[in-house]
PDB file of all heavy atoms in Angstrom:
ATOM      1  N   VAL A   1      -2.950 -27.048 -14.197  1.00  0.00           N
ATOM      2  CA  VAL A   1      -2.602 -28.451 -13.966  1.00  0.00           C
ATOM      3  C   VAL A   1      -3.509 -29.017 -12.888  1.00  0.00           C
ATOM      4  O   VAL A   1      -4.116 -28.278 -12.109  1.00  0.00           O
ATOM      5  CB  VAL A   1      -1.117 -28.605 -13.558  1.00  0.00           C
ATOM      6  CG1 VAL A   1      -0.202 -28.229 -14.705  1.00  0.00           C
ATOM      7  CG2 VAL A   1      -0.796 -27.779 -12.328  1.00  0.00           C
ATOM      8  N   THR A   2      -3.586 -30.336 -12.832  1.00  0.00           N
ATOM      9  CA  THR A   2      -4.429 -31.021 -11.864  1.00  0.00           C
ATOM     10  C   THR A   2      -3.652 -32.171 -11.236  1.00  0.00           C
ATOM     11  O   THR A   2      -2.895 -32.862 -11.919  1.00  0.00           O
ATOM     12  CB  THR A   2      -5.698 -31.587 -12.549  1.00  0.00           C
ATOM     13  OG1 THR A   2      -6.391 -30.512 -13.169  1.00  0.00           O
ATOM     14  CG2 THR A   2      -6.612 -32.260 -11.557  1.00  0.00           C
ATOM     15  N   GLY A   3      -3.858 -32.358  -9.941  1.00  0.00           N
ATOM     16  CA  GLY A   3      -3.286 -33.495  -9.232  1.00  0.00           C
ATOM     17  C   GLY A   3      -4.354 -34.126  -8.361  1.00  0.00           C
ATOM     18  O   GLY A   3      -5.269 -33.441  -7.899  1.00  0.00           O
ATOM     19  N   GLU A   4      -4.236 -35.430  -8.130  1.00  0.00           N
ATOM     20  CA  GLU A   4      -5.272 -36.130  -7.379  1.00  0.00           C
ATOM     21  C   GLU A   4      -4.643 -37.187  -6.484  1.00  0.00           C
ATOM     22  O   GLU A   4      -3.635 -37.797  -6.845  1.00  0.00           O
ATOM     23  CB  GLU A   4      -6.243 -36.784  -8.366  1.00  0.00           C
ATOM     24  CG  GLU A   4      -7.464 -37.392  -7.738  1.00  0.00           C
ATOM     25  CD  GLU A   4      -8.460 -37.847  -8.782  1.00  0.00           C
ATOM     26  OE1 GLU A   4      -8.201 -38.868  -9.444  1.00  0.00           O
ATOM     27  OE2 GLU A   4      -9.479 -37.163  -8.932  1.00  0.00           O
ATOM     28  N   ASP A   5      -5.228 -37.386  -5.315  1.00  0.00           N
ATOM     29  CA  ASP A   5      -4.842 -38.472  -4.427  1.00  0.00           C
ATOM     30  C   ASP A   5      -6.121 -39.140  -3.948  1.00  0.00           C
ATOM     31  O   ASP A   5      -6.982 -38.474  -3.373  1.00  0.00           O
ATOM     32  CB  ASP A   5      -4.022 -37.961  -3.241  1.00  0.00           C
ATOM     33  CG  ASP A   5      -3.432 -39.111  -2.441  1.00  0.00           C
ATOM     34  OD1 ASP A   5      -2.832 -40.012  -3.063  1.00  0.00           O
ATOM     35  OD2 ASP A   5      -3.575 -39.124  -1.210  1.00  0.00           O
ATOM     36  N   CYS A   6      -6.270 -40.434  -4.216  1.00  0.00           N
ATOM     37  CA  CYS A   6      -7.486 -41.179  -3.862  1.00  0.00           C
ATOM     38  C   CYS A   6      -7.123 -42.394  -3.020  1.00  0.00           C
ATOM     39  O   CYS A   6      -6.066 -42.993  -3.206  1.00  0.00           O
ATOM     40  CB  CYS A   6      -8.201 -41.664  -5.120  1.00  0.00           C
ATOM     41  SG  CYS A   6      -8.817 -40.339  -6.162  1.00  0.00           S
ATOM     42  N   LYS A   7      -8.001 -42.746  -2.119  1.00  0.00           N
ATOM     43  CA  LYS A   7      -7.825 -43.939  -1.290  1.00  0.00           C
ATOM     44  C   LYS A   7      -9.162 -44.657  -1.155  1.00  0.00           C
ATOM     45  O   LYS A   7     -10.205 -44.032  -1.035  1.00  0.00           O
ATOM     46  CB  LYS A   7      -7.348 -43.566   0.109  1.00  0.00           C
ATOM     47  CG  LYS A   7      -5.991 -42.920   0.186  1.00  0.00           C
ATOM     48  CD  LYS A   7      -4.902 -43.939   0.153  1.00  0.00           C
ATOM     49  CE  LYS A   7      -3.531 -43.436   0.486  1.00  0.00           C
ATOM     50  NZ  LYS A   7      -2.935 -42.430  -0.243  1.00  0.00           N
ATOM     51  N   ILE A   8      -9.117 -45.973  -1.162  1.00  0.00           N
ATOM     52  CA  ILE A   8     -10.280 -46.785  -0.824  1.00  0.00           C
ATOM     53  C   ILE A   8     -10.032 -47.292   0.590  1.00  0.00           C
ATOM     54  O   ILE A   8      -8.944 -47.775   0.899  1.00  0.00           O
ATOM     55  CB  ILE A   8     -10.439 -47.967  -1.803  1.00  0.00           C
ATOM     56  CG1 ILE A   8     -10.693 -47.436  -3.215  1.00  0.00           C
ATOM     57  CG2 ILE A   8     -11.573 -48.880  -1.370  1.00  0.00           C
ATOM     58  CD1 ILE A   8     -10.799 -48.500  -4.271  1.00  0.00           C
ATOM     59  N   PHE A   9     -11.014 -47.184   1.445  1.00  0.00           N
ATOM     60  CA  PHE A   9     -10.906 -47.586   2.855  1.00  0.00           C
ATOM     61  C   PHE A   9      -9.808 -46.813   3.575  1.00  0.00           C
ATOM     62  O   PHE A   9      -9.073 -47.350   4.376  1.00  0.00           O
ATOM     63  CB  PHE A   9     -10.626 -49.086   3.000  1.00  0.00           C
ATOM     64  CG  PHE A   9     -11.667 -49.966   2.424  1.00  0.00           C
ATOM     65  CD1 PHE A   9     -11.372 -50.826   1.389  1.00  0.00           C
ATOM     66  CD2 PHE A   9     -12.957 -49.943   2.906  1.00  0.00           C
ATOM     67  CE1 PHE A   9     -12.331 -51.650   0.849  1.00  0.00           C
ATOM     68  CE2 PHE A   9     -13.930 -50.763   2.376  1.00  0.00           C
ATOM     69  CZ  PHE A   9     -13.619 -51.617   1.343  1.00  0.00           C
ATOM     70  N   GLY A  10      -9.641 -45.560   3.279  1.00  0.00           N
ATOM     71  CA  GLY A  10      -8.636 -44.770   3.959  1.00  0.00           C
ATOM     72  C   GLY A  10      -8.822 -43.304   3.667  1.00  0.00           C
ATOM     73  O   GLY A  10      -9.750 -42.902   2.978  1.00  0.00           O
ATOM     74  N   ARG A  11      -7.920 -42.507   4.204  1.00  0.00           N
ATOM     75  CA  ARG A  11      -8.000 -41.068   4.016  1.00  0.00           C
ATOM     76  C   ARG A  11      -6.919 -40.626   3.036  1.00  0.00           C
ATOM     77  O   ARG A  11      -5.729 -40.887   3.262  1.00  0.00           O
ATOM     78  CB  ARG A  11      -7.819 -40.369   5.357  1.00  0.00           C
ATOM     79  CG  ARG A  11      -7.989 -38.885   5.262  1.00  0.00           C
ATOM     80  CD  ARG A  11      -7.844 -38.239   6.625  1.00  0.00           C
ATOM     81  NE  ARG A  11      -8.069 -36.837   6.483  1.00  0.00           N
ATOM     82  CZ  ARG A  11      -9.091 -36.211   7.007  1.00  0.00           C
ATOM     83  NH1 ARG A  11      -9.970 -36.867   7.710  1.00  0.00           N
ATOM     84  NH2 ARG A  11      -9.238 -34.924   6.845  1.00  0.00           N
ATOM     85  N   PRO A  12      -7.299 -39.979   1.949  1.00  0.00           N
ATOM     86  CA  PRO A  12      -6.294 -39.488   1.000  1.00  0.00           C
ATOM     87  C   PRO A  12      -5.500 -38.333   1.618  1.00  0.00           C
ATOM     88  O   PRO A  12      -5.914 -37.748   2.610  1.00  0.00           O
ATOM     89  CB  PRO A  12      -7.131 -39.006  -0.180  1.00  0.00           C
ATOM     90  CG  PRO A  12      -8.447 -38.650   0.407  1.00  0.00           C
ATOM     91  CD  PRO A  12      -8.654 -39.591   1.558  1.00  0.00           C
ATOM     92  N   GLU A  13      -4.364 -38.032   1.016  1.00  0.00           N
ATOM     93  CA  GLU A  13      -3.522 -36.944   1.511  1.00  0.00           C
ATOM     94  C   GLU A  13      -3.601 -35.758   0.558  1.00  0.00           C
ATOM     95  O   GLU A  13      -3.330 -35.886  -0.637  1.00  0.00           O
ATOM     96  CB  GLU A  13      -2.080 -37.410   1.638  1.00  0.00           C
ATOM     97  CG  GLU A  13      -1.897 -38.465   2.704  1.00  0.00           C
ATOM     98  CD  GLU A  13      -0.445 -38.858   2.869  1.00  0.00           C
ATOM     99  OE1 GLU A  13       0.443 -38.115   2.394  1.00  0.00           O
ATOM    100  OE2 GLU A  13      -0.199 -39.899   3.471  1.00  0.00           O
ATOM    101  N   LEU A  14      -3.950 -34.612   1.106  1.00  0.00           N
ATOM    102  CA  LEU A  14      -4.022 -33.389   0.309  1.00  0.00           C
ATOM    103  C   LEU A  14      -2.642 -33.023  -0.221  1.00  0.00           C
ATOM    104  O   LEU A  14      -2.496 -32.588  -1.356  1.00  0.00           O
ATOM    105  CB  LEU A  14      -4.614 -32.258   1.147  1.00  0.00           C
ATOM    106  CG  LEU A  14      -4.792 -30.915   0.481  1.00  0.00           C
ATOM    107  CD1 LEU A  14      -5.611 -31.038  -0.794  1.00  0.00           C
ATOM    108  CD2 LEU A  14      -5.453 -29.952   1.431  1.00  0.00           C
ATOM    109  N   LYS A  15      -1.620 -33.228   0.583  1.00  0.00           N
ATOM    110  CA  LYS A  15      -0.255 -32.928   0.155  1.00  0.00           C
ATOM    111  C   LYS A  15       0.115 -33.725  -1.092  1.00  0.00           C
ATOM    112  O   LYS A  15       0.754 -33.217  -2.007  1.00  0.00           O
ATOM    113  CB  LYS A  15       0.736 -33.222   1.279  1.00  0.00           C
ATOM    114  CG  LYS A  15       2.177 -32.893   0.920  1.00  0.00           C
ATOM    115  CD  LYS A  15       3.102 -33.249   2.063  1.00  0.00           C
ATOM    116  CE  LYS A  15       4.556 -32.945   1.819  1.00  0.00           C
ATOM    117  NZ  LYS A  15       5.046 -32.811   0.499  1.00  0.00           N
ATOM    118  N   GLY A  16      -0.308 -34.972  -1.153  1.00  0.00           N
ATOM    119  CA  GLY A  16      -0.037 -35.800  -2.325  1.00  0.00           C
ATOM    120  C   GLY A  16      -0.675 -35.232  -3.573  1.00  0.00           C
ATOM    121  O   GLY A  16      -0.070 -35.216  -4.650  1.00  0.00           O
ATOM    122  N   ALA A  17      -1.909 -34.744  -3.452  1.00  0.00           N
ATOM    123  CA  ALA A  17      -2.605 -34.161  -4.602  1.00  0.00           C
ATOM    124  C   ALA A  17      -1.914 -32.876  -5.057  1.00  0.00           C
ATOM    125  O   ALA A  17      -1.740 -32.644  -6.255  1.00  0.00           O
ATOM    126  CB  ALA A  17      -4.068 -33.891  -4.250  1.00  0.00           C
ATOM    127  N   VAL A  18      -1.493 -32.037  -4.110  1.00  0.00           N
ATOM    128  CA  VAL A  18      -0.790 -30.790  -4.457  1.00  0.00           C
ATOM    129  C   VAL A  18       0.542 -31.112  -5.121  1.00  0.00           C
ATOM    130  O   VAL A  18       0.894 -30.533  -6.156  1.00  0.00           O
ATOM    131  CB  VAL A  18      -0.589 -29.908  -3.205  1.00  0.00           C
ATOM    132  CG1 VAL A  18       0.313 -28.723  -3.512  1.00  0.00           C
ATOM    133  CG2 VAL A  18      -1.924 -29.434  -2.652  1.00  0.00           C
ATOM    134  N   ASP A  19       1.293 -32.043  -4.539  1.00  0.00           N
ATOM    135  CA  ASP A  19       2.584 -32.420  -5.115  1.00  0.00           C
ATOM    136  C   ASP A  19       2.429 -32.963  -6.530  1.00  0.00           C
ATOM    137  O   ASP A  19       3.202 -32.626  -7.421  1.00  0.00           O
ATOM    138  CB  ASP A  19       3.283 -33.459  -4.238  1.00  0.00           C
ATOM    139  CG  ASP A  19       3.802 -32.878  -2.931  1.00  0.00           C
ATOM    140  OD1 ASP A  19       3.859 -31.631  -2.811  1.00  0.00           O
ATOM    141  OD2 ASP A  19       4.144 -33.673  -2.036  1.00  0.00           O
ATOM    142  N   ARG A  20       1.423 -33.786  -6.773  1.00  0.00           N
ATOM    143  CA  ARG A  20       1.206 -34.341  -8.111  1.00  0.00           C
ATOM    144  C   ARG A  20       0.860 -33.246  -9.119  1.00  0.00           C
ATOM    145  O   ARG A  20       1.293 -33.285 -10.270  1.00  0.00           O
ATOM    146  CB  ARG A  20       0.116 -35.402  -8.072  1.00  0.00           C
ATOM    147  CG  ARG A  20       0.589 -36.696  -7.473  1.00  0.00           C
ATOM    148  CD  ARG A  20      -0.471 -37.797  -7.557  1.00  0.00           C
ATOM    149  NE  ARG A  20       0.016 -38.983  -6.891  1.00  0.00           N
ATOM    150  CZ  ARG A  20      -0.226 -39.281  -5.616  1.00  0.00           C
ATOM    151  NH1 ARG A  20      -0.960 -38.492  -4.879  1.00  0.00           N
ATOM    152  NH2 ARG A  20       0.261 -40.377  -5.084  1.00  0.00           N
ATOM    153  N   ALA A  21       0.073 -32.274  -8.689  1.00  0.00           N
ATOM    154  CA  ALA A  21      -0.279 -31.171  -9.589  1.00  0.00           C
ATOM    155  C   ALA A  21       0.966 -30.371  -9.970  1.00  0.00           C
ATOM    156  O   ALA A  21       1.188 -30.073 -11.143  1.00  0.00           O
ATOM    157  CB  ALA A  21      -1.321 -30.263  -8.944  1.00  0.00           C
ATOM    158  N   ILE A  22       1.789 -30.041  -8.988  1.00  0.00           N
ATOM    159  CA  ILE A  22       3.014 -29.270  -9.260  1.00  0.00           C
ATOM    160  C   ILE A  22       3.962 -30.072 -10.144  1.00  0.00           C
ATOM    161  O   ILE A  22       4.514 -29.560 -11.122  1.00  0.00           O
ATOM    162  CB  ILE A  22       3.703 -28.849  -7.945  1.00  0.00           C
ATOM    163  CG1 ILE A  22       2.817 -27.876  -7.170  1.00  0.00           C
ATOM    164  CG2 ILE A  22       5.068 -28.231  -8.216  1.00  0.00           C
ATOM    165  CD1 ILE A  22       3.260 -27.623  -5.750  1.00  0.00           C
ATOM    166  N   GLU A  23       4.146 -31.352  -9.823  1.00  0.00           N
ATOM    167  CA  GLU A  23       5.063 -32.189 -10.595  1.00  0.00           C
ATOM    168  C   GLU A  23       4.586 -32.398 -12.031  1.00  0.00           C
ATOM    169  O   GLU A  23       5.397 -32.549 -12.940  1.00  0.00           O
ATOM    170  CB  GLU A  23       5.247 -33.536  -9.896  1.00  0.00           C
ATOM    171  CG  GLU A  23       6.034 -33.417  -8.603  1.00  0.00           C
ATOM    172  CD  GLU A  23       5.910 -34.642  -7.701  1.00  0.00           C
ATOM    173  OE1 GLU A  23       5.234 -35.629  -8.104  1.00  0.00           O
ATOM    174  OE2 GLU A  23       6.467 -34.605  -6.598  1.00  0.00           O
ATOM    175  N   SER A  24       3.274 -32.378 -12.259  1.00  0.00           N
ATOM    176  CA  SER A  24       2.761 -32.568 -13.619  1.00  0.00           C
ATOM    177  C   SER A  24       3.061 -31.373 -14.512  1.00  0.00           C
ATOM    178  O   SER A  24       3.034 -31.488 -15.735  1.00  0.00           O
ATOM    179  CB  SER A  24       1.255 -32.839 -13.594  1.00  0.00           C
ATOM    180  OG  SER A  24       0.534 -31.660 -13.299  1.00  0.00           O
ATOM    181  N   ALA A  25       3.373 -30.217 -13.909  1.00  0.00           N
ATOM    182  CA  ALA A  25       3.698 -29.021 -14.688  1.00  0.00           C
ATOM    183  C   ALA A  25       5.130 -29.070 -15.223  1.00  0.00           C
ATOM    184  O   ALA A  25       5.443 -28.430 -16.217  1.00  0.00           O
ATOM    185  CB  ALA A  25       3.515 -27.774 -13.840  1.00  0.00           C
ATOM    186  N   GLY A  26       5.996 -29.811 -14.562  1.00  0.00           N
ATOM    187  CA  GLY A  26       7.390 -29.902 -14.981  1.00  0.00           C
ATOM    188  C   GLY A  26       8.325 -29.584 -13.832  1.00  0.00           C
ATOM    189  O   GLY A  26       7.909 -29.090 -12.777  1.00  0.00           O
ATOM    190  N   THR A  27       9.608 -29.817 -14.055  1.00  0.00           N
ATOM    191  CA  THR A  27      10.592 -29.647 -12.983  1.00  0.00           C
ATOM    192  C   THR A  27      10.896 -28.183 -12.675  1.00  0.00           C
ATOM    193  O   THR A  27      11.471 -27.886 -11.634  1.00  0.00           O
ATOM    194  CB  THR A  27      11.910 -30.363 -13.348  1.00  0.00           C
ATOM    195  OG1 THR A  27      12.379 -29.853 -14.602  1.00  0.00           O
ATOM    196  CG2 THR A  27      11.696 -31.861 -13.457  1.00  0.00           C
ATOM    197  N   ASP A  28      10.536 -27.265 -13.561  1.00  0.00           N
ATOM    198  CA  ASP A  28      10.810 -25.846 -13.325  1.00  0.00           C
ATOM    199  C   ASP A  28       9.856 -25.223 -12.318  1.00  0.00           C
ATOM    200  O   ASP A  28      10.135 -24.149 -11.791  1.00  0.00           O
ATOM    201  CB  ASP A  28      10.700 -25.055 -14.632  1.00  0.00           C
ATOM    202  CG  ASP A  28      11.817 -25.393 -15.599  1.00  0.00           C
ATOM    203  OD1 ASP A  28      12.854 -25.914 -15.144  1.00  0.00           O
ATOM    204  OD2 ASP A  28      11.642 -25.150 -16.800  1.00  0.00           O
ATOM    205  N   TYR A  29       8.748 -25.858 -12.047  1.00  0.00           N
ATOM    206  CA  TYR A  29       7.692 -25.245 -11.217  1.00  0.00           C
ATOM    207  C   TYR A  29       7.735 -25.764  -9.784  1.00  0.00           C
ATOM    208  O   TYR A  29       8.073 -26.920  -9.542  1.00  0.00           O
ATOM    209  CB  TYR A  29       6.326 -25.492 -11.854  1.00  0.00           C
ATOM    210  CG  TYR A  29       6.229 -24.853 -13.217  1.00  0.00           C
ATOM    211  CD1 TYR A  29       6.431 -25.592 -14.371  1.00  0.00           C
ATOM    212  CD2 TYR A  29       5.976 -23.500 -13.345  1.00  0.00           C
ATOM    213  CE1 TYR A  29       6.374 -25.007 -15.615  1.00  0.00           C
ATOM    214  CE2 TYR A  29       5.912 -22.902 -14.590  1.00  0.00           C
ATOM    215  CZ  TYR A  29       6.114 -23.658 -15.719  1.00  0.00           C
ATOM    216  OH  TYR A  29       6.055 -23.061 -16.948  1.00  0.00           O
ATOM    217  N   ASP A  30       7.398 -24.855  -8.853  1.00  0.00           N
ATOM    218  CA  ASP A  30       7.459 -25.230  -7.436  1.00  0.00           C
ATOM    219  C   ASP A  30       6.250 -24.773  -6.620  1.00  0.00           C
ATOM    220  O   ASP A  30       6.269 -24.809  -5.402  1.00  0.00           O
ATOM    221  CB  ASP A  30       8.744 -24.697  -6.800  1.00  0.00           C
ATOM    222  CG  ASP A  30       8.895 -23.190  -6.956  1.00  0.00           C
ATOM    223  OD1 ASP A  30       7.979 -22.542  -7.485  1.00  0.00           O
ATOM    224  OD2 ASP A  30       9.943 -22.669  -6.545  1.00  0.00           O
ATOM    225  N   GLY A  31       5.196 -24.341  -7.264  1.00  0.00           N
ATOM    226  CA  GLY A  31       4.004 -23.914  -6.538  1.00  0.00           C
ATOM    227  C   GLY A  31       2.809 -23.779  -7.458  1.00  0.00           C
ATOM    228  O   GLY A  31       2.911 -23.988  -8.671  1.00  0.00           O
ATOM    229  N   LEU A  32       1.665 -23.429  -6.859  1.00  0.00           N
ATOM    230  CA  LEU A  32       0.426 -23.209  -7.604  1.00  0.00           C
ATOM    231  C   LEU A  32      -0.207 -21.905  -7.154  1.00  0.00           C
ATOM    232  O   LEU A  32      -0.122 -21.543  -5.983  1.00  0.00           O
ATOM    233  CB  LEU A  32      -0.579 -24.331  -7.339  1.00  0.00           C
ATOM    234  CG  LEU A  32      -0.241 -25.742  -7.766  1.00  0.00           C
ATOM    235  CD1 LEU A  32      -1.316 -26.704  -7.281  1.00  0.00           C
ATOM    236  CD2 LEU A  32      -0.121 -25.826  -9.281  1.00  0.00           C
ATOM    237  N   VAL A  33      -0.831 -21.207  -8.075  1.00  0.00           N
ATOM    238  CA  VAL A  33      -1.653 -20.039  -7.742  1.00  0.00           C
ATOM    239  C   VAL A  33      -3.027 -20.251  -8.367  1.00  0.00           C
ATOM    240  O   VAL A  33      -3.195 -21.092  -9.250  1.00  0.00           O
ATOM    241  CB  VAL A  33      -1.033 -18.703  -8.231  1.00  0.00           C
ATOM    242  CG1 VAL A  33       0.263 -18.403  -7.495  1.00  0.00           C
ATOM    243  CG2 VAL A  33      -0.808 -18.710  -9.729  1.00  0.00           C
ATOM    244  N   ASP A  34      -3.983 -19.454  -7.933  1.00  0.00           N
ATOM    245  CA  ASP A  34      -5.365 -19.562  -8.416  1.00  0.00           C
ATOM    246  C   ASP A  34      -5.871 -20.998  -8.277  1.00  0.00           C
ATOM    247  O   ASP A  34      -6.520 -21.539  -9.155  1.00  0.00           O
ATOM    248  CB  ASP A  34      -5.491 -19.116  -9.880  1.00  0.00           C
ATOM    249  CG  ASP A  34      -5.031 -17.682 -10.074  1.00  0.00           C
ATOM    250  OD1 ASP A  34      -5.182 -16.906  -9.120  1.00  0.00           O
ATOM    251  OD2 ASP A  34      -4.534 -17.354 -11.154  1.00  0.00           O
ATOM    252  N   GLY A  35      -5.558 -21.620  -7.155  1.00  0.00           N
ATOM    253  CA  GLY A  35      -5.875 -23.023  -6.942  1.00  0.00           C
ATOM    254  C   GLY A  35      -7.297 -23.266  -6.473  1.00  0.00           C
ATOM    255  O   GLY A  35      -7.942 -22.403  -5.883  1.00  0.00           O
ATOM    256  N   VAL A  36      -7.759 -24.460  -6.762  1.00  0.00           N
ATOM    257  CA  VAL A  36      -9.071 -24.926  -6.320  1.00  0.00           C
ATOM    258  C   VAL A  36      -8.884 -26.335  -5.769  1.00  0.00           C
ATOM    259  O   VAL A  36      -8.172 -27.146  -6.357  1.00  0.00           O
ATOM    260  CB  VAL A  36     -10.082 -24.961  -7.491  1.00  0.00           C
ATOM    261  CG1 VAL A  36     -11.436 -25.441  -7.012  1.00  0.00           C
ATOM    262  CG2 VAL A  36     -10.212 -23.599  -8.140  1.00  0.00           C
ATOM    263  N   LEU A  37      -9.522 -26.613  -4.644  1.00  0.00           N
ATOM    264  CA  LEU A  37      -9.452 -27.920  -4.008  1.00  0.00           C
ATOM    265  C   LEU A  37     -10.833 -28.557  -4.020  1.00  0.00           C
ATOM    266  O   LEU A  37     -11.822 -27.916  -3.666  1.00  0.00           O
ATOM    267  CB  LEU A  37      -8.964 -27.777  -2.562  1.00  0.00           C
ATOM    268  CG  LEU A  37      -9.150 -28.974  -1.656  1.00  0.00           C
ATOM    269  CD1 LEU A  37      -8.258 -30.117  -2.091  1.00  0.00           C
ATOM    270  CD2 LEU A  37      -8.872 -28.594  -0.222  1.00  0.00           C
ATOM    271  N   TYR A  38     -10.886 -29.817  -4.431  1.00  0.00           N
ATOM    272  CA  TYR A  38     -12.140 -30.572  -4.415  1.00  0.00           C
ATOM    273  C   TYR A  38     -11.958 -31.808  -3.550  1.00  0.00           C
ATOM    274  O   TYR A  38     -10.898 -32.435  -3.564  1.00  0.00           O
ATOM    275  CB  TYR A  38     -12.514 -31.052  -5.827  1.00  0.00           C
ATOM    276  CG  TYR A  38     -12.746 -29.952  -6.817  1.00  0.00           C
ATOM    277  CD1 TYR A  38     -11.741 -29.552  -7.693  1.00  0.00           C
ATOM    278  CD2 TYR A  38     -13.967 -29.304  -6.900  1.00  0.00           C
ATOM    279  CE1 TYR A  38     -11.947 -28.544  -8.612  1.00  0.00           C
ATOM    280  CE2 TYR A  38     -14.183 -28.286  -7.814  1.00  0.00           C
ATOM    281  CZ  TYR A  38     -13.174 -27.921  -8.663  1.00  0.00           C
ATOM    282  OH  TYR A  38     -13.376 -26.923  -9.567  1.00  0.00           O
ATOM    283  N   PHE A  39     -12.995 -32.157  -2.795  1.00  0.00           N
ATOM    284  CA  PHE A  39     -13.026 -33.421  -2.058  1.00  0.00           C
ATOM    285  C   PHE A  39     -14.192 -34.214  -2.618  1.00  0.00           C
ATOM    286  O   PHE A  39     -15.319 -33.734  -2.647  1.00  0.00           O
ATOM    287  CB  PHE A  39     -13.214 -33.196  -0.554  1.00  0.00           C
ATOM    288  CG  PHE A  39     -13.245 -34.477   0.230  1.00  0.00           C
ATOM    289  CD1 PHE A  39     -12.083 -35.184   0.446  1.00  0.00           C
ATOM    290  CD2 PHE A  39     -14.437 -34.968   0.724  1.00  0.00           C
ATOM    291  CE1 PHE A  39     -12.106 -36.381   1.150  1.00  0.00           C
ATOM    292  CE2 PHE A  39     -14.475 -36.156   1.434  1.00  0.00           C
ATOM    293  CZ  PHE A  39     -13.305 -36.864   1.650  1.00  0.00           C
ATOM    294  N   LYS A  40     -13.914 -35.404  -3.087  1.00  0.00           N
ATOM    295  CA  LYS A  40     -14.948 -36.219  -3.733  1.00  0.00           C
ATOM    296  C   LYS A  40     -15.036 -37.578  -3.054  1.00  0.00           C
ATOM    297  O   LYS A  40     -14.025 -38.109  -2.582  1.00  0.00           O
ATOM    298  CB  LYS A  40     -14.604 -36.434  -5.209  1.00  0.00           C
ATOM    299  CG  LYS A  40     -14.458 -35.173  -6.006  1.00  0.00           C
ATOM    300  CD  LYS A  40     -13.990 -35.495  -7.420  1.00  0.00           C
ATOM    301  CE  LYS A  40     -13.695 -34.231  -8.179  1.00  0.00           C
ATOM    302  NZ  LYS A  40     -13.119 -34.490  -9.503  1.00  0.00           N
ATOM    303  N   THR A  41     -16.233 -38.123  -3.015  1.00  0.00           N
ATOM    304  CA  THR A  41     -16.422 -39.497  -2.572  1.00  0.00           C
ATOM    305  C   THR A  41     -17.067 -40.269  -3.707  1.00  0.00           C
ATOM    306  O   THR A  41     -17.791 -39.718  -4.524  1.00  0.00           O
ATOM    307  CB  THR A  41     -17.314 -39.587  -1.324  1.00  0.00           C
ATOM    308  OG1 THR A  41     -18.568 -38.989  -1.616  1.00  0.00           O
ATOM    309  CG2 THR A  41     -16.682 -38.889  -0.144  1.00  0.00           C
ATOM    310  N   GLY A  42     -16.784 -41.531  -3.753  1.00  0.00           N
ATOM    311  CA  GLY A  42     -17.350 -42.357  -4.802  1.00  0.00           C
ATOM    312  C   GLY A  42     -17.330 -43.812  -4.413  1.00  0.00           C
ATOM    313  O   GLY A  42     -16.897 -44.180  -3.313  1.00  0.00           O
ATOM    314  N   PHE A  43     -17.767 -44.657  -5.305  1.00  0.00           N
ATOM    315  CA  PHE A  43     -17.814 -46.097  -5.097  1.00  0.00           C
ATOM    316  C   PHE A  43     -18.477 -46.441  -3.772  1.00  0.00           C
ATOM    317  O   PHE A  43     -17.857 -46.934  -2.841  1.00  0.00           O
ATOM    318  CB  PHE A  43     -16.411 -46.713  -5.192  1.00  0.00           C
ATOM    319  CG  PHE A  43     -16.417 -48.212  -5.262  1.00  0.00           C
ATOM    320  CD1 PHE A  43     -16.985 -48.863  -6.331  1.00  0.00           C
ATOM    321  CD2 PHE A  43     -15.860 -48.960  -4.250  1.00  0.00           C
ATOM    322  CE1 PHE A  43     -16.996 -50.243  -6.392  1.00  0.00           C
ATOM    323  CE2 PHE A  43     -15.869 -50.331  -4.301  1.00  0.00           C
ATOM    324  CZ  PHE A  43     -16.442 -50.976  -5.378  1.00  0.00           C
ATOM    325  N   LEU A  44     -19.743 -46.076  -3.669  1.00  0.00           N
ATOM    326  CA  LEU A  44     -20.569 -46.347  -2.487  1.00  0.00           C
ATOM    327  C   LEU A  44     -20.031 -45.691  -1.222  1.00  0.00           C
ATOM    328  O   LEU A  44     -20.202 -46.188  -0.123  1.00  0.00           O
ATOM    329  CB  LEU A  44     -20.724 -47.863  -2.272  1.00  0.00           C
ATOM    330  CG  LEU A  44     -21.306 -48.648  -3.445  1.00  0.00           C
ATOM    331  CD1 LEU A  44     -21.251 -50.136  -3.172  1.00  0.00           C
ATOM    332  CD2 LEU A  44     -22.741 -48.210  -3.730  1.00  0.00           C
ATOM    333  N   GLY A  45     -19.339 -44.583  -1.379  1.00  0.00           N
ATOM    334  CA  GLY A  45     -18.802 -43.868  -0.223  1.00  0.00           C
ATOM    335  C   GLY A  45     -17.527 -44.460   0.335  1.00  0.00           C
ATOM    336  O   GLY A  45     -17.043 -44.030   1.380  1.00  0.00           O
TER     337      GLY A  45
END
């Protein structure tokens, strides 16, 4: 599963991205294993 948190003119929250990834799996799940974290910039930085 994948979760993402993006902000323009601000700092995104890693917790938000993790929570979205877990929630996208369904209500039975409460964590992630074999995880990968990416930090991306876009739209002229």
Side-chain angles (χ1 to χ4, degrees):
V1 293
T2 302
E4 188 172 73
D5 189 49
C6 296
K7 296 278 191 301
I8 297 177
F9 300 118
R11 184 178 182 114
E13 294 183 16
L14 181 55
K15 182 182 181 338
V18 172
D19 288 346
R20 285 185 184 93
I22 295 168
E23 290 164 2
S24 73
T27 56
D28 291 340
Y29 298 98
D30 56 4
L32 296 174
V33 294
D34 301 330
V36 180
L37 166 68
Y38 298 97
F39 180 74
K40 301 175 186 175
T41 58
F43 192 64
L44 303 173

